[in-house]
Amino acid sequence: MNTRKETLSRIGDWLDDRLGLAAVGELARKKDVPQHRHSVWYYLGGMTLFLFLVQVATGILLLFYYRPSAEDAYESIQFLMAEVEFGWLVRSIHAWSANLMIFTAFLHMFSVLLLKAYRAPREITWISGVALLGLAMGFGFTGYLLPWNELAYFATRVGTNIMEAIPLIGGFAGHVLKGGEDVTGATLTRFYAIHVAVLPMISALLLGLHLYLVQKHGMSVPPGVEREQGSRPSMPFVPNFLLRDLVGWLTALAILAILAAYFPFELGEKADPFAPAPIGIKPEWYFMFMFQTLKYLPAHLLWIEGEVVGILGFLVAGLLLLILPFLDRRSARGESSRLFTWIGVALIVYVLVLTFLGYTASPTQ
Amino acid sequence: MIALRHVSCASLLLVGGLAVPVLAQQSQESCVTCHGSFSDARLGGPVRAYTEDVHAAKGFGCVACHGGDALDLGMTAMDPAKGYVGVPGREELLLVCGRCHSSAGFMRRYNPALRVDQVAEYRTSVHGELLLERGDERVATCVDCHPAHAVKPPSEPTSSVHPLNVAETCGRCHADRDYMQSYAISTDQHDKYLLSIHWEKLSVEGDLGAPTCNDCHGNHGASPPGVTWVGNVCGQCHSVMAELFNKSRHSQVFAMLGNPGCATCHGNHEIKPAGDEMLGIGEGSVCGMCHAPTDAGGMAAAEMRSLVDSLKFAHAVADSLLSKAENAGMEVSQAQFELSGATTALINARTGVHSFAVDHVREAVDEGVEVALSAQARGRSALGDLRFRRLGLAVSVGIILILIAGLVFKIRQLEPAKARQT
Amino acid sequence: MTDKVGRSGQSRRGFVNWILSTGVGGLLLAVLYPVGRYLVPPAAGESTASTVTLNLKPEDVAPNTGQIFKFGSQPAILVRTPGGELRAFSASCTHLSCIVQYREDIGHIWCACHNGHFDLNGRNIQGPPPRALDEFAVNVRGDEIVVSRVS
């Protein structure tokens, strides 16, 4: 018994000398999480991270069978679903987890927005976070096409067409992204490269930066709580907060398993580029608010096409969102910033209402 | 008259034989020089139209049919003494065209595969009989279907006798009520044909093998099929049905009653896709036109219908079970493969109806139902496997729940109640 | 008294640790088992939707014979021509999807339902079929016959 302990500690020392484990342990011990009435929002980042890891794991598994070409893509997934044991499970978890991840990422962003956690010195944390959300949507857009089924094909056509309406660079960007004038097998190969190589690489870098900054600055305490007098309780990150995180992750895993088993993602019909587009093509739900906005815009606003105005509007809005920490001067000084709270609330209401309309309004109108 | 015709024919033959070398020496015939300059459609039209004609492409000039001297630049080129015939009469056309087209020796030099019996066939057609025996010049002759100066082979899509254009070509006369008035035959064939499955196959699916007018009526020997041989005509393509029908009792009874074989139930020009509703004695059935529900034939019809329906139902159930299982990601391709045997049996049963023998149909149906039932069983068992998946899921979720409970206990231990309340 | 509390506290701690370690073990199993089974190559090897390896040796297929095999979920027919060449076609008749068969007496692929004839290039030569049968590529790899979709 004692000799075993000694051996273990000797191995530990050996590793510590080379890896600096003690320093990491010290960091973990020191890290704590403030406790207050808004603490619950602290879990969303970790949840998104967990779902991202699920995506990485299931994505790698899918690579074992997926073939990125117009001829084989649909058939390889059919094969994966029907012949490969638990293939249906891996694919369904990948698809469901992607949706949940984007959902929790949105929640995470809105909670950070409303709790003003972006204020100095966390501006770069915010910017990297917004960029990560953009990347997640990019993952969704490129991944949606990969099964090469009818719905995905036409949704991608509509999506890339919208992108091409961006003045000056849109046409060229669309051409490069699609690998030609139209969505074809060439597009599929490009989307595949972007989905499994380009985006993961950028995401890994940004995610590393994001996590490093969270670690460096610790959890942000909302200004409202900060202004209150009195001592603030806190909780050690290891193990108390981590255990709670684990409970959340396991719950997410159970939900994923149930969704995958009861609502497996169907494959649908194989894409036929020459077939007429089916009625009521809808983008993925997280693009719906933008899609629906473009629908409501008139054909022309002043002398510019309505669609172009809409797209430029979203581009400007995205840019403003990105540099939000520099716009909100009051929060930066630690004062309450009603205006930006209301902007955040308006943003959430806008996204919710248009998404709702997107799913309820008749597609033929 | 006859002697004169023989003379002109002889000279034509001579000129026809010379036509090619003459053209080789001289790029333009004197006929074209003058007639080409006429803006009048009657005088200049033929010259302009003829450039597209298959005969022009083979090197034949005007004189090949019209006679005369293409080297003579004056009006004397059209001297009857030089074999000039002008516009051939309608009956005369048989000789003008037939001179080459009935000569195997001549045709061999241009199109060895082309038949040379068109004129002989034409003489047996209703058109030919009316023209030759009654002198009725309103009936169709060569140029009515193969427009003079614009004759094109049937393989050319713009040809008047291309399969897609035949119905319109025949319809030019046969669908014209005023023109057909004196013949006491209906004029709705063209319109009815355009509603038929045959025209749909031809025009929509582009299956040029699908029949148009001439495939049932003959082309040069056009005439309506006789009551007793309708089956032979349809049987060209629908041979299994025709064979079963010919062996059946209906074939003799229909002949006795003067019913036109296949057309009795399926109609003639407006042939619709055959459906199961035609069988039996219910609404839309054709058996019910003669049979009462209670007579032997009516009961047999009803039984055959219920047999076919039972197979159709078993097949549909199996199909939906399998696609349900397939959508759920189960492997059912073997069952789907086997189910195609039931499809074959269903088609066979429907074909077998033309024997009008219940046992014949039952044989195919029994075979198909057996296959369909086994496919159904496979589909059900595949869906049963889905339940197994759910069991696996329940186990995993159970494990996760236990783990969550453990974690919650652990948290409680780390933070005793007192500490948490403060 | 304190001793008793201490002991029950200890046993409870042991129980919680037991649950946790069992749960983690179970979870690992529940994750690793499907992943392991997923990575084991399935019996079919690769998608049969575009390529299928027949359970037949080339020398067992005599000239002037034909047989039906499963291509994905659809029937297909393998024919060895009297000349000894192997050819494969979709076995669904282009007329009404009956399964065709090889007629050794006339050397045609033949559909019994409506007497449709196809020649050994799959061309519809007689009867109602409107189109030729889809042809597949046949390759002999060692003593295996591999049939694949021609794209």
Side-chain angles (χ1 to χ4, degrees), chain A residues 213-249:
Chain A
L213 290 174
V214 169
Q215 174 60 32
K216 180 174 165 55
H217 298 301
M219 302 294 198
S220 153
V221 178
V225 177
E226 215 168 35
R227 280 192 297 275
E228 284 166 13
Q229 298 301 315
S231 70
R232 270 194 308 278
S234 69
M235 174 198 282
F237 181 78
V238 180
N240 303 46
F241 189 79
L242 189 62
L243 286 175
R244 285 175 167 79
D245 246 353
L246 279 175
V247 170
W249 296 2

Side-chain angles (χ1 to χ4, degrees), chain C residues 64-120:
Chain C
N64 197 29
T65 60
Q67 52 197 304
I68 300 293
F69 64 94
K70 175 175 166 286
F71 193 96
S73 61
Q74 297 300 316
I77 186 167
L78 178 76
V79 172
R80 196 189 272 281
T81 64
E85 209 180 319
L86 281 172
R87 292 183 191 162
F89 305 94
S90 156
S92 293
C93 179
T94 51
H95 181 220
L96 291 173
S97 302
C98 285
I99 302 179
V100 297
Q101 52 187 283
Y102 183 72
R103 281 271 298 265
E104 293 166 16
D105 53 340
I106 49 175
H108 283 174
I109 298 168
W110 178 66
C111 178
C113 287
H114 298 119
N115 195 31
H117 290 252
F118 301 89
D119 69 11
L120 294 186

Side-chain angles (χ1 to χ4, degrees), chain B residues 145-352:
Chain B
C145 300
H146 308 280
H149 310 116
V151 178
K152 290 173 189 174
S155 54
E156 225 173 276
T158 55
S159 165
S160 56
V161 287
H162 181 268
L164 280 171
N165 302 330
V166 166
E168 197 195 326
T169 298
C170 300
R172 268 213 314 275
C173 299
H174 281 276
D176 185 336
R177 196 179 299 174
D178 299 330
Y179 195 84
M180 296 302 291
Q181 206 165 24
S182 56
Y183 297 103
I185 60 173
S186 58
T187 52
D188 56 0
Q189 303 94 334
H190 178 258
D191 292 345
K192 280 184 163 176
Y193 173 72
L194 293 192
L195 299 172
S196 74
I197 178 72
H198 289 143
W199 174 247
E200 192 187 314
K201 291 270 170 198
L202 190 61
S203 62
V204 179
E205 293 180 22
D207 176 9
L208 296 184
T212 178
C213 313
N214 62 311
D215 292 293
C216 298
H217 294 280
N219 29 24
H220 301 103
S223 75
V227 164
T228 51
W229 77 73
V230 167
N232 299 345
V233 171
C234 304
Q236 294 270 344
C237 296
H238 305 279
S239 57
V240 175
M241 280 83 134
E243 196 185 330
L244 290 173
F245 175 79
N246 281 339
K247 282 191 214 150
S248 77
R249 212 195 298 174
H250 276 93
S251 116
Q252 285 146 36
V253 175
F254 279 13
M256 250 158 52
L257 296 172
N259 286 339
C262 314
T264 314
C265 300
H266 293 280
N268 45 16
H269 299 107
E270 190 184 355
I271 295 174
K272 287 290 172 61
D276 291 337
E277 72 284 347
M278 290 173 71
L279 182 60
I281 36 144
E283 200 177 329
S285 85
V286 290
C287 311
M289 296 190 302
C290 300
H291 291 285
T294 47
D295 69 25
M299 289 196 300
E303 195 176 349
M304 285 192 284
R305 171 69 183 274
S306 76
L307 279 168
V308 169
D309 281 349
S310 72
L311 176 52
K312 195 161 69 169
F313 180 71
H315 184 278
V317 169
D319 198 36
S320 91
L321 273 171
L322 290 179
S323 48
K324 207 161 133 193
E326 191 187 20
N327 281 341
M330 309 304 295
E331 157 59 21
V332 287
S333 72
Q334 182 67 32
Q336 281 172 327
F337 167 66
E338 282 166 17
L339 188 61
S340 56
T343 314
T344 303
L346 181 59
I347 302 292
N348 267 332
R350 285 173 177 151
T351 310

Side-chain angles (χ1 to χ4, degrees), chain B residues 31-39 43-44 47-48:
Chain B
C31 338
V32 174
T33 314
C34 292
H35 280 268
S37 64
F38 289 127
S39 58
L43 292 170
V47 173
R48 288 188 284 276

Side-chain angles (χ1 to χ4, degrees), chain A residues 265-279:
Chain A
F265 253 70
E266 288 200 358
L267 188 51
E269 293 282 307
K270 185 175 176 172
D272 176 4
F274 303 110
I279 298 177

